[in-house]
Amino acid sequence: MKLHNKTIVVTGAGNGMGRELVLQLLAKGAKVAALDINESALAETAKLAGERSGSLFAFEVDISSRKAVEATVSEVINFVGNVDAIINNAGIIQPFIKLNDLDYAAVEKVFNINFFGTLYVTKSFLPHLLVRPEAHIVNISSMGGFVPVPGQTIYGATKAAVKLMTEGLTQELKDTLVRVSVVFPGAVGTNIMHNSGAALPGTKAEPAQKNGINLPPGEAARQIIAGIENNQERIFVGRDSKMMNFMYRINARFASNLIGKQMKKILK
């Protein structure tokens, strides 16, 4: 899909990868409907858009509420007009603890945002996308959606659910003009830990720091947008995601044990 003059919906647009997606889409000449639960974060994204902010339309919404999503979709269509693509980027992680110690409130919160939020936005916009001459659905899964990460077991389960839902939708829409992509980011230097309230054991939740390992959010957004423009069905973001995908396909047990050893140090 060529993005110039297209109208794109981006969830989780108030910070991190979502904000970078918004800014880079605007730079390509797209109009963007930016969705986020945090009004002040949306305002900061609009501020950073500068002279391009006239093509940015902000909508405060809690995507874990189906009624709120449905109301916002109607508002977006009425205010912005036709929508050509959606990027389901919003998501949170769980506290870095084992499943046995994770309470149900945390489980439900992660599922409600990561899986049901993605489902609500997708289903609500899909009828509109199906009548467009060209359209695209982009759902952000995770490297943790195909390789297990101890201490993020429920997070991984939500992202695996997003992966399979998206891949099933790809097949269902084969005979339509709607393209579908699932994205697997590796480690990206965002504030997801801080925004999720998910501190590592014995630490406070702090914004992600540049450490030479995490991919910068701007580069992650660039890779995602390039995948959309090339109509890629599976977009692996970062060398770690590409490497783990290769390793998991060759020897799933070895790849799982490798991740397990790294997380064991954290979970002790």
Side-chain angles (χ1 to χ4, degrees):
M1 169 182 273
K2 299 304 178 186
L3 301 170
H4 185 70
N5 287 332
K6 296 295 196 302
T7 300
I8 318 293
V9 173
V10 179
T11 69
N15 56 72
M17 204 162 64
R19 174 177 286 169
E20 290 293 336
L21 284 166
V22 169
L23 298 177
Q24 292 185 35
L25 288 168
L26 291 171
K28 285 183 172 288
K31 290 195 298 183
V32 179
L35 277 57
D36 201 282
I37 196 171
N38 189 325
E39 185 179 13
S40 62
L42 284 172
E44 182 63 23
T45 298
K47 181 179 179 181
L48 291 170
E51 62 183 12
R52 298 189 177 101
S53 61
S55 297
L56 175 61
F57 308 90
F59 299 86
E60 182 185 359
V61 60
D62 176 3
I63 64 165
S64 69
S65 165
R66 181 166 62 87
K67 289 184 179 180
V69 168
E70 290 171 349
T72 300
V73 169
S74 297
E75 187 179 356
V76 170
I77 297 297
N78 291 334
F79 191 81
V80 181
N82 293 317
V83 168
D84 301 293
I86 59 174
I87 303 177
N88 281 301
N89 164 77
I92 62 171
I93 60 173
Q94 67 173 76
F96 280 88
I97 56 177
K98 295 179 181 179
L99 179 62
N100 189 51
D101 302 317
L102 192 65
D103 62 52
Y104 281 111
V107 171
E108 291 167 3
K109 182 178 181 180
V110 177
F111 259 99
N112 286 340
I113 294 173
N114 291 2
F115 177 70
F116 285 108
T118 298
L119 173 64
Y120 297 153
V121 174
T122 300
K123 271 187 64 66
S124 298
F125 275 110
L126 185 53
H128 305 279
L129 298 175
L130 284 167
V131 298
R132 299 297 296 150
E134 180 185 28
H136 209 122
I137 295 170
V138 183
N139 290 338
I140 309 294
S141 177
S142 168
M143 182 174 73
F146 64 82
V147 62
V149 181
Q152 287 294 315
T153 297
I154 293 300
Y155 168 78
T158 66
K159 291 302 188 176
V162 169
K163 170 186 179 292
L164 283 177
M165 181 185 75
T166 308
E167 291 174 343
L169 189 60
T170 300
Q171 296 305 314
E172 292 178 0
L173 298 177
K174 279 289 186 183
D175 297 325
T176 76
L177 297 174
V178 182
R179 297 291 174 262
V180 184
S181 300
V182 58
V183 181
F184 303 100
V188 179
T190 70
N191 288 352
I192 191 170
M193 187 183 297
H194 174 76
N195 295 333
S196 304
L200 288 167
T203 69
K204 296 180 179 179
E206 296 290 345
Q209 303 295 321
K210 295 180 180 179
N211 54 18
I213 299 174
N214 293 341
L215 192 69
E219 175 58 21
R222 187 198 68 77
Q223 292 183 26
I224 292 169
I225 289 172
I228 296 170
E229 291 179 318
N230 291 320
N231 289 323
Q232 290 178 229
E233 291 184 0
R234 294 161 64 85
I235 304 171
F236 292 90
V237 176
R239 288 183 295 177
D240 53 349
S241 181
K242 295 171 185 175
M243 180 186 71
M244 289 308 302
N245 174 57
F246 175 78
M247 291 175 61
Y248 194 73
R249 290 169 62 188
I250 298 298
N251 190 327
R253 184 176 181 181
F254 175 81
S256 298
N257 287 342
L258 181 64
I259 295 292
K261 287 178 181 178
Q262 295 300 315
M263 291 304 298
K264 190 174 183 180
K265 300 174 184 177
I266 294 174
L267 292 173
K268 271 189 176 181

